[in-house]
Amino acid sequence: MLTSFFRKSKPINYLLVGVVASFFYINNNFFKFFALNTLGESLFFLLLYLFLMVLVNFIVHRNKVTEQNTYTLFLFVAFTCMFPEIYTDYQVLGASLFLLLALRRIMSMQSGKALKQKIFDASLWSCFAFLCVPQSGLFLLLVWASVYFYQPKVISNWAIPLVSVFCVYILATTVSLFSTNQFYHVAIQEVLPQFNFLNFYKWQILAGVSVLLLSFFLSLALLFKNMQKSVRNFRVSVYLLLTATLICLGMVVFSAKNNVAEILFPIIPISILGGNYLEQSRKRWKNEVLLWGLILGCFSIYFSSFLL
């Protein structure tokens, strides 16, 4: 039943996923939505969270990473609801928006058109993400990985991300000079990793991370099994998503705050890989079991965080 429903991309699918996502967000920010001084802010970031879903869906369908279905959106909502901290960390939500915009330009490089412009744009968005969460700057590694896969022999392509870094620094410094009369700088404590994972030592968080990593490894197992039958563009997309997942996990590990909300970064590529896994799996009964198990597991983890 669930497999048949999410295999389609009709308006009712998007409406249902959007309503469920809004429920989790509003439930986690309940009091902010009923306070006049925070209502506008909460509503803005709810729309931002929903826009992240729309952008993920656009990336996977526009670049033919998955077919027309809503598996990826379902996984994105299911994974994020296991970590309620995501809904209250506006810096992470903002950084995720810029990283998705960067990923959109990277995935579109498979067309082979305007590569230099796309490299510059992807680097630019990654630098804007850095302004929100400094560890997001690691996403520039994915830009260089895309250069390696698509046009490695053009030397100038490797230098383009540095131009983007310089442009964003000039912009940030200009704003800083006008507002604080100082050059833009990042405090050392915001950059150096702390390797303090006390916030993760809760059974709900550990259970959520386990579900996320299990989904990641299951997706990889099937994708690598079918890799030889796929066209080159699809293989490169999978390699880039795998690289993006590892980089995003690195952002969490090397975080200066070790905030649980930063798990949103790896959730994005894992949701895309998981959606592709469900699409390629030919055993419908297995998909049905996985979807129902994921719903029960994610909902249990989410609500237990309020009860315990």
Side-chain angles (χ1 to χ4, degrees), residues 79 82-83 207-216 263 266-267 270:
F79 290 152
M82 294 190 296
F83 307 97
V209 171
S210 299
V211 170
L212 194 63
L213 292 178
L214 180 61
S215 303
F216 174 58
I263 204 74
I267 279 177
I270 291 175

Side-chain angles (χ1 to χ4, degrees), residues 59-72:
I59 291 171
V60 297
H61 290 166
R62 182 64 180 269
N63 298 288
K64 296 181 173 58
V65 180
T66 67
E67 296 178 0
Q68 296 293 322
N69 56 60
T70 45
Y71 287 132
T72 299

Side-chain angles (χ1 to χ4, degrees), residues 174-189:
T174 302
V175 173
S176 182
L177 285 172
F178 274 106
S179 58
T180 65
N181 202 31
Q182 293 180 343
F183 283 90
Y184 173 77
H185 67 281
V186 180
I188 191 68
Q189 61 267 25

Side-chain angles (χ1 to χ4, degrees), residues 13-82:
N13 295 66
Y14 297 111
L15 179 62
L16 179 62
V17 173
V19 168
V20 172
S22 300
F23 165 78
F24 284 122
Y25 185 92
I26 293 173
N27 185 62
N28 211 75
N29 295 274
F30 185 80
F31 294 105
K32 289 184 179 181
F33 268 89
F34 291 94
L36 291 177
N37 60 329
T38 56
L39 175 60
E41 178 185 271
S42 299
L43 185 59
F44 172 79
F45 283 101
L46 169 60
L47 295 175
L48 174 58
Y49 174 63
L50 295 175
F51 182 68
L52 293 181
M53 294 169 46
V54 173
L55 198 52
V56 169
N57 187 67
F58 173 81
I59 291 171
V60 297
H61 290 166
R62 182 64 180 269
N63 298 288
K64 296 181 173 58
V65 180
T66 67
E67 296 178 0
Q68 296 293 322
N69 56 60
T70 45
Y71 287 132
T72 299
L73 286 186
F74 164 77
L75 292 176
F76 180 80
V77 174
F79 290 152
T80 52
C81 83
M82 294 190 296

Side-chain angles (χ1 to χ4, degrees), residues 7-287:
R7 191 174 55 185
K8 303 171 185 176
S9 59
K10 295 182 178 180
I12 185 64
N13 295 66
Y14 297 111
L15 179 62
L16 179 62
V17 173
V19 168
V20 172
S22 300
F23 165 78
F24 284 122
Y25 185 92
I26 293 173
N27 185 62
N28 211 75
N29 295 274
F30 185 80
F31 294 105
K32 289 184 179 181
F33 268 89
F34 291 94
L36 291 177
N37 60 329
T38 56
L39 175 60
E41 178 185 271
S42 299
L43 185 59
F44 172 79
F45 283 101
L46 169 60
L47 295 175
L48 174 58
Y49 174 63
L50 295 175
F51 182 68
L52 293 181
M53 294 169 46
V54 173
L55 198 52
V56 169
N57 187 67
F58 173 81
I59 291 171
V60 297
H61 290 166
R62 182 64 180 269
N63 298 288
K64 296 181 173 58
V65 180
T66 67
E67 296 178 0
Q68 296 293 322
N69 56 60
T70 45
Y71 287 132
T72 299
L73 286 186
F74 164 77
L75 292 176
F76 180 80
V77 174
F79 290 152
T80 52
C81 83
M82 294 190 296
F83 307 97
E85 293 84 356
I86 290 173
Y87 301 124
T88 55
D89 196 313
Y90 300 148
Q91 286 183 311
V92 169
L93 287 172
S96 298
L97 171 63
F98 293 127
L99 293 181
L100 268 174
L101 291 171
L103 184 62
R104 182 183 74 88
R105 297 301 277 171
I106 289 170
M107 299 301 288
S108 67
M109 288 183 192
Q110 61 181 269
S111 67
K113 300 177 180 178
L115 284 183
K116 284 183 170 54
Q117 181 180 342
K118 291 175 181 177
I119 294 169
F120 178 82
D121 290 347
S123 305
L124 198 70
W125 291 124
S126 300
C127 292
F128 281 131
F130 172 87
L131 299 179
C132 298
V133 178
Q135 282 66 35
S136 302
L138 290 173
F139 211 72
L140 283 171
L141 296 175
L142 187 65
V143 180
W144 276 306
S146 65
V147 172
Y148 171 78
F149 281 118
Y150 288 115
Q151 209 174 64
K153 295 182 179 180
V154 181
I155 304 300
S156 59
N157 288 345
W158 297 91
I160 291 175
L162 301 178
V163 177
S164 297
V165 171
F166 180 73
C167 291
V168 172
Y169 175 75
I170 292 298
L171 180 62
T173 296
T174 302
V175 173
S176 182
L177 285 172
F178 274 106
S179 58
T180 65
N181 202 31
Q182 293 180 343
F183 283 90
Y184 173 77
H185 67 281
V186 180
I188 191 68
Q189 61 267 25
E190 295 183 12
V191 178
L192 288 179
Q194 297 297 315
F195 300 113
N196 180 6
F197 302 103
L198 289 177
N199 291 332
F200 289 84
Y201 293 161
K202 301 175 183 177
W203 82 264
Q204 297 96 334
I205 303 301
L206 293 174
V209 171
S210 299
V211 170
L212 194 63
L213 292 178
L214 180 61
S215 303
F216 174 58
F217 290 121
L218 279 175
S219 303
L220 284 187
L222 181 64
L223 288 172
F224 280 127
K225 180 180 178 181
N226 299 333
M227 192 72 74
Q228 298 302 322
K229 305 175 186 177
S230 307
V231 297
R232 183 184 181 277
N233 278 345
F234 178 79
R235 291 200 301 272
V236 171
S237 296
V238 171
Y239 290 142
L240 287 174
L241 287 170
L242 172 59
T243 306
T245 304
L246 297 177
I247 290 172
C248 290
L249 288 172
M251 292 180 197
V252 178
V253 172
F254 293 102
S255 170
K257 297 180 180 179
N258 293 117
N259 190 345
V260 174
E262 292 170 348
I263 204 74
L264 178 59
F265 298 144
I267 279 177
I268 293 171
I270 291 175
S271 299
I272 298 174
L273 291 170
N276 198 278
Y277 168 85
L278 292 170
E279 177 184 283
Q280 291 194 26
S281 177
R282 298 184 179 181
K283 296 180 180 179
R284 293 187 61 181
W285 66 267
K286 183 192 290 187
N287 284 1

